[in-house]
Each structure stands twice: as C-alpha cells, then as structure tokens.
Amino acid sequence: MRLILLIAALVLTPFAAQAKEAQRPVTVLVGIDGFRADYLDRGLTPRLAALAKDGATGPMRPSFPTKTFPNHYALVTGKRPDRNGISGNSMIDPRRPGVMFSLGNAAQALDPFWWNEAEPVWITAEKAGIRTATMFWPGSEVAFEGKRPSDWLRYDQNVGNVQRVNTLIDWLRRPAAIRPAFATIYFDTVDTAGHRFGPDSAEVNASLAEVDARIGELVDGAAALGVPLNLVIVADHGMRATDDSRVIQLDGLIDRASYVPVETGPYAAIEPVTGTDNRVAEALLKPHEHMTCTRKEDLPARLHWGRNPRVAAIICIAEEGWTILAGPPVYPVKGGAHGYDNADPEMLALFIARGPAFAKGAKLPVFDNVAVAALLRATLGLPEDADADGKLADVKAALKSR
Ligand code: AMP
Ligand code: ZN
Ligand code: ZN
C-alpha cells in the first residue's frame, strides 16, 4: 500500500507542478484600432459585453493627436505623444532633414531613431526577465536598446484576424518556461471599415461582430488550455463621420510651395519652408471658419503637445467632422476619420480589463489612456514608472483590491 502511494506521489507530482504553473495568469493587451467607446453599446459584441460586465470598463480619453501610432505608443509607454517621441502618424525631425516618418515608409517606421524616446512595457518586462510576445503592435518590430520581445512579427495587414488569434493561442499553449507572461494582439479591421464607410455603417457593425467573435475564440482557447488571462482590451481612438461637404482647403490660403504638409485631415501639421515663415504664419494664424491654427508653442496646455521638435511649427485643428486638405484628397473624404481634439466625445476609446487582477463590475469615469501602461506594469509585478504621464492611481478602481 505504501509502495502504491509512493509511486502515485512520484507520478502525480510533475502533473501537480505543471497544473500550478499553468495557472500563472498571462497579461494580454488587445488593441482594436478605432473601436469607439460607445460601439460597445450597440448590442453587436456579446463577448466584449460579457468581459466588461465581469471586469472593469469605462470610456478612455486618447492622447492628442488622436491617431494610431502616437496612441498605441502612449498605451505601452505611459507617456503622451510629445514625450514618447511618436508625436504623429507622420513626423519630421530637424535632426533628420529631408525625411518624413510615416506608417507606409518602412525605412523610417522601422528605424529605432523614432522610437527610442520612451521604453515600451515589453522591453521593461524583458529586462526584468519576464518573457513577452507581440502579435503586432506599433513599435514592437523595432529594437529598443538592442532588445526586442522574445517573439514578434513584422506587421502585415494581410494576416487575417483568425490567424492572429491562432498565433497567440499557440504561444499560450507552450510549456510554462517558454510561454510569454505578457503578450499583445492588434486588430485593424474596425478602423479600416470606419474610415471607408463611416462609424454608423453596416460595414463597421459587421467588423464589430467579427472582432468580437475572434476575442471569444481567444478567451475560449485560453480557458481550454487552463491559462488564466489578465485581458486589457483597448482602442487607440474613436471615429467620426466625415463628408466632402465639410472640407477646408489650404490651397486658398497658402501657396503649396511655401510649406510641407506633414499631416492633413482632422488636424494639419504645417512646416513652412525656411524664409516663408512669416507669410505662411500670417495667412494661417488669423481666424478661419471651422478650424483653429496656432503656433505649436501656443497650443492649449490640455493637449500636452507641441514641445517635441517633431511637432511641425503651425498646427491647425479642424472643427469636429471637418477635414483639412492641401490640394486634392489622398483618400476619399466621405466616410470616417480621427485625429480631432481629444476632448471630442467621438474620439473616446474602448477600455475593458478582465481577469484575476481586475475588479469585477467596476465602472471607471473617463481617464487618460497613458494610465494603461501603469496598469499593465502592475499586473506583471513591475514597479510604477515615476517618470510616466499616466499614474496607477488614475485606474486604481480597475484593480481588484487586495
Ligand atoms: P490610421 O492611419 O491612424 O488610421 O492608422 C491605422 C492603420 O495603421 C491601419 O490601416 C493599420 O493597417 C496600420 N498599422 C497598424 N499597425 C501597424 C504597424 N505596426 N506598421 C504599419 N502599419 C500599421
Ligand atoms: Zn487607429
Ligand atoms: Zn484610422
């Protein structure tokens, strides 16, 4: 009998140890590009609704400019675009004359020069010996101080959402020793439908249901593996309807040869060509209908933006729903856009945190998205970054009280 017990103990111990290991929660940051906060109330996303009910949720204020790259980097660094170095989707830098950073310009977008002003959470984690894996996230393809996530992939929009989820589940299936403790996953489809068809379209609604199903698969897949998740589901910004009857054409105000349009759309970033500063400034800095132009140093303090040398000299912000153009549009104006003032309620973004680390049923008042990095660090046992713009105190209500 004693021998049987001894054998049983020897056989069972590794399983018991494995089961214990398998229960260590993995923090998963899910980014749904352009998922406006109130999309959650459309009744089209049952899995997200269930997670919100079982966790903490609330509308989240994006950082200005309400664009993809600056906000994705703010979420993982805890620093606003002025301080995280990704001050726009498109940028110029006086230290790199004649070149422009943009999403489509891989030579610049993948150059660490642009990303090294703030440390993303996956790097902080790796430095602390915590394994990380990124199934897409702006900045995750770029080395920071020579380091990268243990697993990462070069962004490819053609990789479907099913494949993105399956890749993440494969990482969760690994033995504990090589399983990530922190992972990201990113979906672009809701934003793409929002731009092309507008936030109130059937196409956006279909994309919401599709992404919801993928998140359901992620939750179910992790549950089947016995891996608990601390899920943090966020969007970078919202979406607002635009159309070609609400356009501000810069061509009527300034001569195109006299400036570089670093950015156009809901806001315009204008860098005058040397020697023409005064003419460009004079034409723009007076009152206009449906847009406000200021020198970068005169932007309202609440935007926390304009000190970085990468912000162009003159910034024009359109009235909500209006589009600033410099010549013919690159994309059709009719549809949806983001990039407006971050006080615009239609720029508010999704936030849901659900898992063993988080409070159940907590409803958060609007908070700034830079607090998310502090929340991620807390779930990973990393110390709070005193230098960050976002504080854990701003999202304390999302955490389970101990
Ligand atoms: P926006 O122009 O602000 O609407 O940016 C959204 C676009 O960014 C989507 O169409 C994505 O395909 C694209 N995107 C997202 N992540 C990346 C990345 N890591 N590299 C390049 N493009 C990206
Ligand atoms: Zn976006
Ligand atoms: Zn977008």
Side-chain angles (χ1 to χ4, degrees), residues 213-231:
R214 299 291 84 76
I215 287 168
E217 284 161 14
L218 172 60
V219 170
D220 295 346
L225 294 169
V227 177
L229 300 184
N230 278 320
L231 271 175

Side-chain angles (χ1 to χ4, degrees), residues 68-91:
T68 297
F69 271 36
N71 277 287
H72 276 85
Y73 216 43
L75 288 159
V76 295
T77 60
K79 292 182 177 166
R80 296 193 177 93
D82 225 26
R83 292 188 67 227
N84 73 31
I86 305 300
S87 64
N89 270 359
S90 301
M91 300 182 272

Side-chain angles (χ1 to χ4, degrees), residues 25 38 45 99 105 137 147 157 166 191 233 261 266 311 321 357:
D38 66 350
T45 53
V99 298
N105 175 3
W137 198 273
K147 296 180 185 61
Q157 197 174 11
N166 287 341
D191 179 75
I233 306 172
V311 178

Side-chain angles (χ1 to χ4, degrees), residues 114-174:
W114 298 98
W115 300 90
N116 67 16
E117 291 188 12
E119 183 176 285
V121 63
W122 53 78
I123 298 296
T124 316
E126 290 281 348
K127 283 181 177 172
I130 298 169
R131 192 178 173 108
T132 70
T134 49
M135 181 56 255
F136 299 157
W137 198 273
S140 66
E141 307 128 290
V142 185
F144 184 92
E145 294 174 3
K147 296 180 185 61
R148 293 172 184 276
S150 294
D151 295 279
W152 61 277
L153 292 146
R154 183 80 184 267
Y155 184 67
D156 178 357
Q157 197 174 11
N158 297 317
V159 174
N161 291 348
V162 170
Q163 195 179 331
R164 298 181 196 196
V165 170
N166 287 341
T167 300
L168 178 49
I169 291 175
D170 280 342
W171 289 337
L172 299 177
R173 188 177 284 121
R174 287 178 178 169

Side-chain angles (χ1 to χ4, degrees), residues 33 68 191 236-237 338:
D33 202 312
T68 297
D191 179 75
D236 47 353
H237 49 70
H338 51 86

Side-chain angles (χ1 to χ4, degrees), residues 37 40-41 48-60 350-354 358-367 393-400:
L40 194 56
D41 307 324
L48 284 168
L51 293 169
K53 199 168 164 224
D54 195 31
T57 191
M60 184 169 71
L350 175 74
F351 170 83
I352 298 170
R354 188 268 202 170
F358 303 118
K360 273 186 204 296
K363 295 271 177 286
L364 275 65
V366 178
F367 67 94
D394 302 339
V395 276
K396 195 102 197 178
L399 282 174
K400 188 177 277 175

Side-chain angles (χ1 to χ4, degrees), residues 12-313:
L12 288 174
T13 307
F15 289 104
Q18 215 178 22
K20 204 170 158 224
E21 275 284 51
Q23 279 166 22
R24 195 188 303 154
V26 177
T27 300
V28 176
L29 176 64
V30 180
I32 313 179
D33 202 312
F35 194 118
R36 201 168 77 188
D38 66 350
Y39 286 173
L40 194 56
D41 307 324
R42 291 190 176 180
L44 300 168
T45 53
R47 300 303 302 256
L48 284 168
L51 293 169
K53 199 168 164 224
D54 195 31
T57 191
M60 184 169 71
R61 188 185 300 110
S63 302
F64 189 81
T66 53
K67 291 280 187 177
T68 297
F69 271 36
N71 277 287
H72 276 85
Y73 216 43
L75 288 159
V76 295
T77 60
K79 292 182 177 166
R80 296 193 177 93
D82 225 26
R83 292 188 67 227
N84 73 31
I86 305 300
S87 64
N89 270 359
S90 301
M91 300 182 272
I92 49 168
D93 189 307
R95 290 163 291 182
R96 287 234 168 147
V99 298
M100 174 117 58
F101 171 102
S102 73
L103 272 63
N105 175 3
Q108 293 305 319
L110 297 176
D111 188 326
F113 167 77
W114 298 98
W115 300 90
N116 67 16
E117 291 188 12
E119 183 176 285
V121 63
W122 53 78
I123 298 296
T124 316
E126 290 281 348
K127 283 181 177 172
I130 298 169
R131 192 178 173 108
T132 70
T134 49
M135 181 56 255
F136 299 157
W137 198 273
S140 66
E141 307 128 290
V142 185
F144 184 92
E145 294 174 3
K147 296 180 185 61
R148 293 172 184 276
S150 294
D151 295 279
W152 61 277
L153 292 146
R154 183 80 184 267
Y155 184 67
D156 178 357
Q157 197 174 11
N158 297 317
V159 174
N161 291 348
V162 170
Q163 195 179 331
R164 298 181 196 196
V165 170
N166 287 341
T167 300
L168 178 49
I169 291 175
D170 280 342
W171 289 337
L172 299 177
R173 188 177 284 121
R174 287 178 178 169
I178 55 162
R179 185 187 308 145
F182 172 75
T184 69
I185 183 165
Y186 165 83
F187 301 108
D188 55 276
T189 41
V190 171
D191 179 75
T192 304
H195 283 294
R196 291 182 59 191
F197 303 105
D200 300 313
S201 61
E203 288 83 354
V204 162
N205 287 347
S207 75
L208 296 176
E210 194 272 336
V211 166
D212 190 68
R214 299 291 84 76
I215 287 168
E217 284 161 14
L218 172 60
V219 170
D220 295 346
L225 294 169
V227 177
L229 300 184
N230 278 320
L231 271 175
V232 179
I233 306 172
V234 294
D236 47 353
H237 49 70
M239 186 65 68
R240 183 179 266 282
T242 49
D243 59 69
D244 21 34
S245 72
R246 290 175 293 169
V247 167
I248 304 144
Q249 183 52 260
L250 294 178
D251 272 359
L253 298 170
I254 42 177
D255 158 28
R256 229 179 295 158
S258 64
Y259 70 101
V260 179
V262 180
E263 184 82 56
T264 55
Y267 81 95
I270 291 155
E271 190 65 27
V273 173
T274 317
T276 64
D277 300 46
N278 285 339
R279 264 192 299 132
V280 174
E282 233 170 74
L284 289 177
L285 297 176
K286 57 189 180 199
H288 303 279
E289 271 191 303
H290 313 299
M291 79 171 174
T292 308
C293 301
T294 33
R295 290 190 193 275
K296 61 189 272 190
E297 54 272 27
D298 299 328
L299 285 164
R302 63 183 176 77
L303 296 179
H304 300 281
W305 193 67
R307 287 173 194 271
N308 196 302
R310 294 175 180 175
V311 178

